[in-house]
């Protein structure tokens, strides 16, 4: 498709990260900053294991953070307007 024929509703808008994704990114970066020799794959595994052992209450903190990142319909419209202007 030609960029000028793209409809506003078809423009990409990134989905906000889930609670798990936010936690995982934070934890992997934290683990690797504390141990420079830790392989990325090992940090991923440790973060995933820690998430699986967390209580619902501990996960709720991350769920609240994820909720703050959700896109409102107004924000979605504004983002699409920006994409549309950039596509011209």
């Amino acid at each position: 498709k030609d960029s000028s024929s793209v409809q506003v509703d078809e423009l990409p808008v990134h989905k906000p990260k889930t609670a798990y994704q936010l936690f995982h990114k934070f934890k992997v970066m934290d683990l690797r900053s504390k141990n420079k020799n830790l392989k990325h794959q090992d940090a991923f595994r440790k973060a995933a294991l820690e998430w699986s052992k967390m209580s619902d209450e501990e996960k709720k903190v991350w769920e609240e953070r994820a909720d703050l990142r959700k896109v409102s319909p107004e924000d979605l419209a504004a983002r699409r307007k920006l994409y549309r202007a950039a596509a011209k």
Side-chain angles (χ1 to χ4, degrees), residues 11-65:
L11 292 170
V13 176
H14 299 286
K15 287 175 54 175
K17 293 190 182 326
T18 65
Y20 174 76
Q21 290 169 325
L22 289 174
F23 168 80
H24 202 264
K25 182 176 181 178
F26 170 81
K27 194 62 182 178
V28 167
M29 289 173 52
D30 183 51
L31 288 167
R32 297 209 57 212
S33 70
K34 290 177 181 175
N35 183 355
K36 302 288 184 195
N37 296 324
L38 185 66
K39 292 182 182 178
H40 198 67
Q41 185 176 9
D42 293 334
F44 262 63
R45 286 185 181 138
K46 285 183 179 198
L49 182 61
E50 188 170 329
W51 177 265
S52 69
K53 292 181 178 182
M54 288 172 64
S55 69
D56 288 342
E57 196 164 306
E58 290 172 314
K59 290 178 182 178
K60 186 175 175 112
V61 172
W62 293 96
E63 290 164 1
E64 289 170 355
R65 289 181 185 180

